[in-house]
Amino acid sequence: MTNLSDIVSSAYWRINPPDADPLETREWLEAFDALVAAEGRERATFLLRKLLEHARARLVPMPPVFNTPYKNSVSLAEQPQYPGNLELETRLSSIVRWNALAMVVRANRAHAELGGHIASYASAADLFEVGFNHFFRHDDLVYFQPHSAPGVYSRAYLEGRLSEERLSNYRRETAGNGLSSYCHPYLMPEFWQFPTGSMGLGPLNAIYQARFLRYLTNRSLLKAEEANPRKVWSFVGDGEMDEPESLAALSLAAREGLDNLVFVVNCNLQRLDGPVRGNGSIVQELEGLFAGAGWNVIKLLWGSDWDALFARDEEGVLLKRLHETVDGEFQMYAATDGRFNREHFFNKYPELQALVADMSDEDIDRLRRGGHDPVKIYAAYHAALRHKGRPSVVLAQTKKGYGMGNWGQGKMGTHQQKKLDDAALREFRDRFALPISDEDVAQLRFFNPGPDSPEIRYLKTRREALGGYVPVRRTASQALRTPALDTLGKFLEGTGREQSTTMVFVQLLAQLLKDPELGKRVVPIVADEARTFGMQTLFRQSGIYSAVGQLYEPEDHDELLYYREAKDGQILEEGITEAGALSSWLAAATAYSAHGTPMLPFYIYYSMFGFQRVGDLIWAAADSRSRGFLVGGTAGRTTLAGEGLQHQDGSSHLIASTIPNCRAYDPCFGYELATIVQDGTRRMLEAQEDVFYYLTVANENYAHPGIPPDAHEGILRGMYPLRRTKDAKLQLLGSGPILREVIAAADLLQKDWSIAANVWSVTSFTELRRDGMEAERARRLGGKSESWVERCLKGAAGPVVAASDYVSAVADLIRPYVPGRYVALGTDGFGRSDTRAALRDFFEVDAKHIAVAALAALDQRLAADAVRRYGVDTGTRAPWQR
Ligand SMILES: Cc1ncc(C[n+]2csc(CCOP(=O)(O)OP(=O)(O)O)c2C)c(N)n1
Ligand SMILES: [Mg+2]
């Protein structure tokens, strides 16, 4: 039977087969060394390439080239001098570690339900501290690992930016003086810049952030910084790298040559439940992935005290031993002491046993992994920043729960460890040589050496040298003047020409792009659907952004509206990645904060592939206080017609309603759309409100009337009257394209039943709902208030029937505020392909079904007549059961 270590060793030897003729090998290597010495590295690389080509031609199989040995990429010879005061920095990092730990343990002693994490920051502390002391410039954009937030708070406390009171209120936010669990710009708008709590989104967003920084520079909206460009840093967990989003844009980052981007993957080899790759090596796997995608990979695996061991390991036995050790074993070595490590790791081979013969068990215990040695960390970051032309990733090996001793380091359950007894806390204090009394340890008192201590003076000097603190979030930027509504006159006048709201939207966008002040700030974004929405007209006008311009003559170059790519192109054509396009939108929608440069992004996409597909990214955008427009195209379950089940959207408005700062509208007519876009632009860019807009536009062509007098307020608040007569017997409400079915139903009622109905256009059930909730709450608390729905329908005769192209729950949102009988119709069930007419019949939202519903609400007997008259099939099951 083969055991695990045989499998692993054989895998190792497949990559590194035994040397059949060491003498010959040495001769080749010496010749190569001589070449490098005489003619330089570039020439050596050239010859290697030639050799590989030659081997390929001779049909000699290639060795795997994306993996390097399990040791540091930066050799001792290349290592720069450490520029800081290591003694002070060590003391500082120990203090930060203590306060972070005390904060979490204290919160949980008082209220066990609060939760929190210690082990993640314990592994990341040195990676962060070297960044804070030497690398993170004030204007850099740093995405922090969310579960390490306690460490960032703890540092801000020493910096004097967070009070002791706030630290004491960790995870107690409702009173307004607490600290968020993770990085939440919404809840701590002056502190956190990027929400990373939902893992995988941080690394993805960071890539598009770095790309958007380039976009702004290439379009001359930001100054180019040749000498010392701003950097985007993304700290990611090794377990987090399993999220598809973490990997989704690696190739984009390399393709765009984003050398303003540095990933640091904290390879503590563990995630929440257990090892990330117990039976393999996460570092080697990630190295292959990143290198294959075209990144510069820097392995930061071993601390300085390993240098001597590697130097003495002439036969490569140490390296062999490291390669045959799977991560599950490395975790075990992290959780055990020097003696165990000697017995099980080093004593396996006599050569290794000899290598550490002069080291005590304590010495072995103190051997540090690379991510815990500031000198090695500095060398890795330094190499990353100097690398030109490609993004860099630092794969930093650490121990999860570093310094947490028997109750944490390398332990299987360490991720959730947050309750430590006094003995464990004293052990921690001793381990990090903290000058804290037993009494203070028992009380979990925060430790601050005071503003005049060498530690705090050093820390402040370092931050001053780097331009200021990190993280800091800017909440406002310059206010921009937005075009007045009358400049959109042609959209308000109406047109007899039949067109879709999508077409109206594209015309509106084209006009905004030409606006003298705003035009350059508009960012049209598509995920390979510009033609779907008839936006190819913008290709020529605005150009498609490409960092390298256009290196080919486009196939359609002789056409007027050819596919034009340009370095200063304005459109972000992302290709088929809704997650990527949404990340670009997020970067643009927060540029007012990240860069002090307000932008106006419009991301238009198949509405089904928005809230449903990338809903969590939209949630993160909301947390980020985004300002911009999301435009769900070809929207509505029956309006999209032929595309069928996975394309027809009947739910996005329901999901949109759950996001507090999202203003969602489902307009039917061009003037509604123009009114909403104009006011939205004003609110976001001029009044600087932290809201964003979701608009659905559809592809059904029809004529658009002019704006009725006095409709402006109602359009924005969510409903307004379209038709009103004194003798109306009931009220019909419709939204989006289904409004036209509602109008047709009113005509049927008049023609066939002599019943007059008022017709209301509902632009936003979700805004009406919010307004209703507010009024209801005010009344509940003793005030006086009337909702917009109540105000509109006060004194209106008869029952109210509403219909939309979304599930009936959307229209149902306003039920509590509708006086009298209310019937909500919608498109519940699975979408399917057919004509619009057939689909609206199927989902029972066409004119005749709306008329039947209205009659049934008035008088059931009338409805029975109508069912017969209109040939409604009563035998089939409901659409949501089919
Ligand atoms: C999308 C998502 N899924 C799950 C979680 C819950 N979660 C938080 S931390 C964690 C483990 C993190 O492991 P790793 O990325 O290796 O980071 P480490 O704490 O080890 O540094 C999990 C599963 C989350 N925050 N986000
Ligand atoms: Mg991990």
Side-chain angles (χ1 to χ4, degrees):
M1 211 183 75
T2 337
N3 67 29
L4 184 63
S5 95
D6 285 342
I7 297 171
V8 174
S9 326
S10 70
Y12 168 65
W13 290 117
R14 261 206 306 281
I15 303 172
N16 299 277
D19 195 340
D21 189 346
L23 208 65
E24 186 186 41
T25 311
R26 182 160 299 185
E27 278 169 21
W28 277 77
L29 295 182
E30 280 169 5
F32 188 76
D33 287 348
L35 171 87
V36 177
E39 300 185 41
R41 291 181 188 180
E42 242 173 72
R43 172 76 187 146
T45 305
F46 176 82
L47 280 177
L48 274 180
R49 188 185 302 246
K50 281 282 154 202
L51 201 59
L52 286 174
E53 278 169 19
H54 193 67
R56 193 175 289 131
R58 291 277 171 280
L59 303 181
V60 175
M62 293 286 147
V65 286
F66 287 135
N67 273 118
T68 60
Y70 206 71
K71 57 182 193 180
N72 295 341
S73 305
V74 181
S75 69
L76 191 56
E78 296 166 299
Q79 195 173 295
Q81 186 85 33
Y82 195 73
N85 181 332
L86 270 174
E87 196 196 315
L88 275 180
E89 288 184 23
T90 306
R91 290 219 297 270
L92 264 174
S93 79
S94 297
I95 300 170
V96 180
R97 283 173 185 278
W98 165 259
N99 288 330
L101 172 102
M103 181 178 78
V104 177
V105 179
R106 218 202 244 195
N108 281 277
R109 277 198 186 164
H111 308 278
E113 71 214 80
L114 292 178
H117 302 86
I118 301 168
S120 300
Y121 177 66
S123 68
D126 300 298
L127 296 173
F128 284 12
E129 280 300 302
V130 173
F132 280 123
N133 285 323
H134 301 287
F135 290 94
F136 304 156
R137 281 180 10 190
H138 175 59
D139 59 353
D140 280 350
L141 304 164
V142 186
Y143 291 72
F144 288 99
Q145 242 189 303
H147 298 75
S148 297
V152 182
Y153 294 141
S154 169
R155 183 167 233 275
Y157 165 63
L158 291 189
E159 291 167 348
R161 300 199 293 144
L162 292 178
S163 65
E164 194 162 321
E165 184 203 358
R166 290 196 76 182
L167 253 57
S168 307
N169 285 321
Y170 169 62
R171 290 194 172 218
R172 302 209 59 193
E173 298 183 277
T174 59
N177 60 349
L179 295 176
S180 302
S181 52
Y182 307 119
C183 324
H184 296 306
Y186 191 83
L187 295 167
M188 293 177 65
E190 280 156 17
F191 193 83
W192 293 118
Q193 290 185 283
F194 307 113
T196 51
S198 176
M199 290 193 304
L201 305 191
L204 178 71
N205 287 167
I207 291 175
Y208 282 89
Q209 180 70 259
R211 203 283 215 94
F212 194 68
L213 200 52
R214 283 279 161 85
Y215 168 94
L216 288 175
T217 314
N218 283 335
R219 290 196 49 223
S220 309
L221 286 154
L222 279 186
K223 267 207 313 288
E225 305 163 296
E226 298 299 336
N228 197 6
R230 284 165 80 195
K231 295 279 172 188
V232 178
W233 294 79
S234 178
F235 285 82
V236 191
D238 48 358
E240 182 173 10
M241 287 307 300
D242 278 336
E243 290 287 0
E245 290 89 348
S246 304
L247 300 169
L250 295 190
S251 59
L252 170 113
R255 194 161 64 243
E256 303 256 334
L258 299 179
D259 55 14
N260 58 346
L261 174 67
V262 181
F263 267 32
V264 180
V265 185
N266 176 7
C267 296
N268 55 25
L269 314 185
Q270 290 177 246
R271 42 181 166 71
L272 193 154
D273 283 340
V276 180
R277 291 290 182 275
N279 300 311
S281 167
I282 188 62
V283 169
Q284 296 298 86
E285 186 177 323
L286 291 177
E287 176 181 40
L289 263 168
F290 277 96
W295 286 54
N296 172 43
V297 181
I298 300 164
K299 280 152 88 168
L300 162 60
L301 306 185
W302 307 111
S304 301
D305 18 39
W306 288 77
D307 286 337
L309 296 181
F310 280 113
R312 297 208 309 268
D313 176 40
E314 281 176 16
E315 301 304 318
V317 186
L318 176 58
L319 208 53
K320 172 183 166 198
R321 182 75 186 104
L322 291 173
H323 276 254
E324 70 191 18
T325 304
V326 290
D327 285 358
E329 291 171 299
F330 276 129
Q331 183 191 335
M332 172 71 97
Y333 296 134
T336 49
D337 60 10
R339 186 190 159 119
F340 184 97
N341 274 254
R342 181 196 299 281
E343 272 174 26
H344 293 84
F345 181 81
F346 290 106
N347 285 358
K348 174 147 184 201
Y349 299 115
E351 297 91 329
L352 270 190
Q353 193 170 0
L355 202 62
V356 292
D358 60 349
M359 292 172 74
S360 67
D361 287 348
E362 289 69 36
D363 291 337
I364 292 180
D365 204 33
R366 275 194 292 271
L367 284 172
R368 273 182 298 183
R369 292 188 180 169
H372 297 306
D373 181 350
V375 173
K376 296 291 183 189
I377 298 170
Y378 183 87
Y381 290 180
H382 183 258
L385 289 204
R386 278 161 41 120
H387 191 85
K388 291 276 169 272
R390 292 188 297 165
S392 291
V393 58
V394 174
L395 301 174
Q397 185 168 240
T398 60
K399 291 179 179 173
K400 190 143 181 171
Y402 184 65
M404 287 165 70
N406 270 336
W407 39 273
Q409 182 171 295
K411 297 285 177 198
M412 212 47 104
T414 189
H415 188 83
Q416 285 162 309
Q417 175 66 274
K418 52 196 138 264
K419 289 194 187 124
L420 309 178
D421 62 21
D422 287 357
L425 291 169
R426 283 197 301 270
E427 209 181 292
F428 187 91
R429 173 202 57 192
D430 297 342
R431 162 73 182 75
F432 290 102
L434 286 149
I436 308 176
S437 70
D438 284 359
E439 166 65 10
D440 286 349
V441 167
Q443 297 301 322
L444 287 160
R445 292 211 174 92
F446 298 127
F447 178 66
N448 192 332
D452 295 326
S453 64
E455 290 90 347
I456 300 300
R457 286 215 309 267
Y458 181 83
L459 167 146
K460 293 203 164 166
T461 314
R462 290 309 310 146
R463 286 318 313 167
E464 274 160 30
L466 290 159
Y469 293 115
V470 169
V472 176
R473 186 180 174 279
R474 184 187 345 224
T475 54
S477 65
Q478 86 196 90
L480 297 178
R481 219 159 26 82
T482 49
L485 193 57
D486 54 19
T487 62
L488 303 175
K490 74 171 183 195
F491 301 99
L492 305 179
E493 282 158 16
T495 162
R497 198 154 54 93
E498 299 210 332
Q499 55 180 3
S500 65
T501 42
T502 303
M503 281 165 71
V504 175
F505 165 73
V506 174
Q507 289 161 23
L508 205 57
L509 183 64
Q511 176 157 335
L512 283 173
L513 280 162
K514 288 185 194 136
D515 184 90
E517 187 165 1
L518 265 193
K520 60 178 187 294
R521 297 180 184 271
V522 174
V523 187
I525 305 171
V526 286
D528 202 30
E529 300 287 1
R531 292 180 203 279
T532 309
F533 305 121
M535 283 170 68
Q536 64 273 32
T537 48
L538 298 181
F539 287 166
R540 170 75 189 279
Q541 177 191 330
S542 303
I544 297 161
Y545 173 75
S546 152
V548 295
Q550 193 157 33
L551 306 178
Y552 60 97
E553 182 169 70
E555 179 276 329
D556 57 353
H557 67 277
D558 50 0
E559 286 175 27
L560 185 63
L561 303 173
Y562 70 94
Y563 195 84
R564 185 172 77 87
E565 298 194 61
K567 201 164 170 180
D568 62 353
Q570 197 159 351
I571 301 169
L572 285 171
E573 164 64 86
E574 301 294 4
I576 311 169
T577 164
E578 281 76 13
L582 209 289
S583 301
S584 272
W585 181 83
L586 203 173
T590 52
Y592 72 93
S593 166
H595 315 295
T597 305
M599 301 297 287
L600 187 64
F602 290 86
Y603 166 35
I604 180 162
Y605 54 90
Y606 261 117
S607 72
M608 191 57 158
F609 305 136
F611 283 88
Q612 169 153 309
R613 169 117 194 180
V614 289
D616 198 23
L617 278 159
I618 300 179
W619 190 247
D623 189 342
S624 307
R625 296 175 173 264
S626 288
R627 301 173 186 170
F629 288 95
L630 292 175
V631 185
T634 56
R637 183 155 275 160
T638 66
T639 309
L640 180 52
E643 289 289 275
L645 193 152
Q646 294 215 342
H647 282 64
Q648 289 166 347
D649 166 35
S651 53
S652 62
H653 277 286
L654 199 55
I655 312 178
S657 78
T658 62
I659 303 184
N661 48 356
C662 174
R663 305 278 162 264
Y665 289 88
D666 184 23
C668 176
F669 295 126
Y671 65 82
E672 296 177 347
L673 188 60
T675 304
I676 296 159
V677 169
Q678 191 273 340
D679 192 62
T681 306
R682 180 194 62 77
R683 284 178 68 180
M684 295 187 289
L685 294 187
E686 208 167 294
Q688 302 216 31
E689 288 184 42
D690 288 341
V691 292
F692 69 98
Y693 281 70
Y694 174 55
L695 313 174
T696 39
V697 292
N699 64 351
E700 184 176 0
N701 293 324
Y702 45 81
H704 293 255
I707 186 168
D710 305 326
H712 186 258
E713 184 182 6
I715 292 172
L716 298 175
R717 297 192 71 164
M719 74 186 277
Y720 65 95
L722 259 189
R723 266 192 205 177
R724 240 197 300 212
T725 59
K726 275 203 307 293
D727 50 349
K729 296 273 181 301
L730 77 163
Q731 315 297 318
L732 297 181
L733 278 50
S735 74
I738 297 300
L739 173 61
R740 296 178 61 253
E741 297 290 341
V742 166
I743 294 169
D747 292 342
L748 276 185
L749 289 171
Q750 185 64 55
K751 178 166 75 66
D752 296 343
W753 309 89
S754 302
I755 294 174
N758 286 342
V759 176
W760 302 76
S761 172
V762 177
T763 50
S764 178
F765 281 109
T766 51
E767 283 303 287
L768 292 177
R769 163 81 179 188
R770 287 205 180 113
D771 173 72
M773 285 174 22
E774 207 177 310
E776 200 173 60
R777 175 177 182 275
R779 292 198 293 258
R780 186 163 69 235
L781 300 180
K784 267 205 201 126
S785 189
E786 186 179 43
S787 70
W788 187 253
V789 173
E790 285 157 338
R791 206 161 126 190
C792 289
L793 296 178
K794 189 165 47 182
V800 179
V801 178
S804 82
D805 214 3
Y806 295 85
V807 291
S808 55
V810 172
D812 235 338
L813 287 169
I814 64 166
R815 179 177 298 277
Y817 325 111
V818 176
R821 176 114 204 257
Y822 183 53
V823 180
L825 303 176
T827 52
D828 298 74
F830 281 117
R832 59 204 66 205
S833 310
D834 213 315
T835 61
R836 276 187 200 113
L839 287 170
R840 286 175 186 169
D841 178 35
F842 177 89
F843 283 104
E844 304 174 356
V845 290
D846 62 4
K848 65 178 191 293
H849 277 99
I850 296 167
V852 169
L855 291 167
L858 279 172
D859 180 346
Q860 192 58 49
R861 282 166 306 184
L862 286 178
D865 290 349
V867 162
R868 266 194 307 280
R869 181 164 186 167
Y870 297 134
V872 171
D873 180 359
T874 54
T876 47
R877 279 177 296 147
W880 56 90
Q881 294 168 328
R882 292 204 262 163

